[in-house]
Amino acid sequence: LAEQLVDVAGGEEALAAVQVADRRLVVDEQIVAVQDREVVLRDVVAGSPPPPAPASAPAAGFAYEQAFARNLGWVTPAEQAALRGKRIAIAGLGGVGGVHLLTLARLGVGAFSIADFDRFDWPNFNRQVGATVDTVGLPKIDVLAEMARAINPQVELRLFPQGVNPDNIDAFLGGVDAYVDGLDFFAFAARELTFARCAALGVPAITVAPLGMGAALLNFIPGKMSFEDYFGVAGRSADEKTVRLLVGLSPALLQRGYLVDPSFVDFARQAGPSTPMACQMCAGIAATEALKILLGRGEVLAAPWGVHYDAYRNTVKRTWRPGGWRNPVQRLAAALARRHLQRGRPSGLSR
């Protein structure tokens, strides 16, 4: 077009005019993009989920059967189709929650309810799958939703940008086939609420704790031992909840022997060391448990049984605490943990 105008007008002035017009068009498009982003942010603040991402050229050619065909063999075509019709709830999209979502999306699970109120920050970089220089300051729920849609443009997402609370917990768990825990270790109230409602609604709940360079699994299955029966945290102080969660999530304590500098664990500031390897392991374990639960095949260990795998020590241990926190072994471990915490010698759990 520019060359044609030059030929017709017979000079460089026409070309310059076209170039100015092109620059104005680019600026106008940038302004529209910023305005669209402001609308989305206002919707999030108001509690409404952001609109679905517009279909891009690659999304227009997306085919579910082709995208997840490499799962076949480990699952049958009928099972893959069944996974497409399942919904999983995930609360917390940080260290483990974000990679839970993306792993399950790649498994082909077709719908999710996700909850998180936090934004990405620099300390998240070592372990959180959505944390990059481009996402600092952005809501985790928006970033992870976009990443999930980039894996499966047809995925159905329900977003809860206020996190989970008594007002929305039933909507969050409504119609879900399983819950996968991604909450921060110190989110005591949210965790107790969510697991209690899972038990009341008959929703299987999976939690996998990142421990050093390993991961520890607990499943809370309807009709089996509940979260409260296992941990016994209701009505306890924050310090006591910390102790009971520590020994309950990590009865084998495989990670404790290689915590090289305990000074980086500060329970008063609710801070502790973590590794990306542990978070990735958690996602693989949780997705495998979800597959077994959703498809109704394979052994699913339910609390008080658990499994702790530690890659650093090349060790796997099955744990069993009948009676949960009432078990004498568990009570002894809790007493030792209290003593260590009082002396400032933490047990090496990272969440």
Side-chain angles (χ1 to χ4, degrees):
L1 175 61
E3 293 175 353
Q4 293 173 353
L5 286 173
V6 170
D7 290 340
V8 173
E12 296 181 355
E13 293 181 358
L15 178 59
V18 171
Q19 292 172 336
V20 169
D22 286 344
R23 287 196 294 270
R24 288 176 177 171
L25 179 59
V26 171
V27 171
D28 289 342
E29 290 175 345
Q30 292 174 340
I31 291 173
V32 170
V34 170
Q35 291 172 341
D36 288 344
R37 179 62 177 165
E38 290 176 347
V39 170
V40 171
L41 289 174
R42 283 199 299 271
D43 288 342
V44 171
V45 172
S48 302
S56 60
F62 175 86
Y64 178 93
E65 294 77 10
Q66 183 179 15
F68 304 109
R70 294 296 293 272
N71 291 335
L72 301 179
W74 299 112
V75 299
T76 68
E79 287 176 331
Q80 187 66 66
L83 291 172
R84 188 178 189 178
K86 301 297 184 180
R87 174 179 293 277
I88 290 180
I90 304 172
L93 297 173
V96 293
V99 71
H100 283 331
L101 173 63
L102 301 189
T103 302
L104 290 163
R106 293 192 186 280
L107 185 60
V109 173
F112 297 91
S113 298
I114 55 177
D116 199 301
F117 58 82
D118 201 8
R119 293 172 179 265
F120 283 113
D121 200 357
W122 301 107
N124 303 148
F125 274 47
N126 80 310
R127 69 201 182 282
Q128 298 196 16
V129 68
T132 70
V133 293
D134 296 322
T135 62
V136 171
L138 296 181
K140 293 180 181 180
I141 197 167
D142 289 354
V143 172
L144 269 300
E146 183 177 352
M147 294 176 77
R149 292 188 181 109
I151 294 169
N152 179 2
Q154 298 171 356
V155 70
E156 202 279 303
L157 299 176
R158 295 177 188 164
L159 275 60
F160 294 80
Q162 299 86 15
V164 289
N165 57 59
D167 295 329
N168 68 13
I169 187 65
D170 284 351
F172 174 69
L173 293 174
V176 307
D177 299 287
Y179 168 70
V180 178
D181 184 27
L183 292 166
D184 183 81
F185 176 81
F186 294 99
F188 300 134
R191 179 170 283 107
E192 292 172 55
L193 169 68
T194 305
F195 277 91
R197 291 307 294 159
C198 283
L201 297 172
V203 175
I206 303 164
T207 185
V208 190
L211 306 168
M213 300 178 206
L217 164 72
L218 286 170
N219 291 314
F220 294 94
I221 305 300
K224 303 289 186 178
M225 177 173 281
S226 70
F227 177 91
E228 175 56 29
D229 286 340
Y230 182 81
F231 287 104
V233 292
R236 305 292 173 174
S237 68
D239 287 346
E240 183 62 17
K241 289 180 180 182
T242 298
V243 167
R244 295 194 180 198
L245 282 172
L246 273 173
V247 298
L249 290 168
S250 180
L253 284 174
L254 296 180
Q255 77 282 5
R256 184 180 171 195
Y258 59 87
L259 179 64
V260 295
D261 190 344
S263 68
F264 284 94
V265 180
D266 188 342
F267 287 115
R269 292 180 28 289
Q270 299 188 349
S274 59
T275 68
M277 301 85 78
C279 294
Q280 297 286 338
M281 289 179 212
C282 288
I285 293 170
T288 303
E289 295 302 304
L291 179 147
K292 292 188 288 184
I293 290 170
L294 296 178
L295 299 181
R297 63 174 173 90
E299 182 185 18
V300 177
L301 295 175
W305 286 96
V307 178
H308 189 166
Y309 168 64
D310 192 282
Y312 186 87
R313 296 184 61 181
N314 303 313
T315 301
V316 179
K317 283 194 176 182
R318 281 196 181 193
T319 57
W320 185 48
R321 292 294 184 268
W325 71 274
R326 297 179 182 86
N327 187 289
V329 175
Q330 202 78 333
R331 287 178 174 272
L332 176 60
L336 293 173
R338 291 187 198 99
R339 186 179 304 173
H340 287 314
L341 290 175
Q342 290 169 358
R343 294 177 180 177
R345 292 163 53 194
S347 298
L349 181 141
S350 61
R351 182 74 173 183

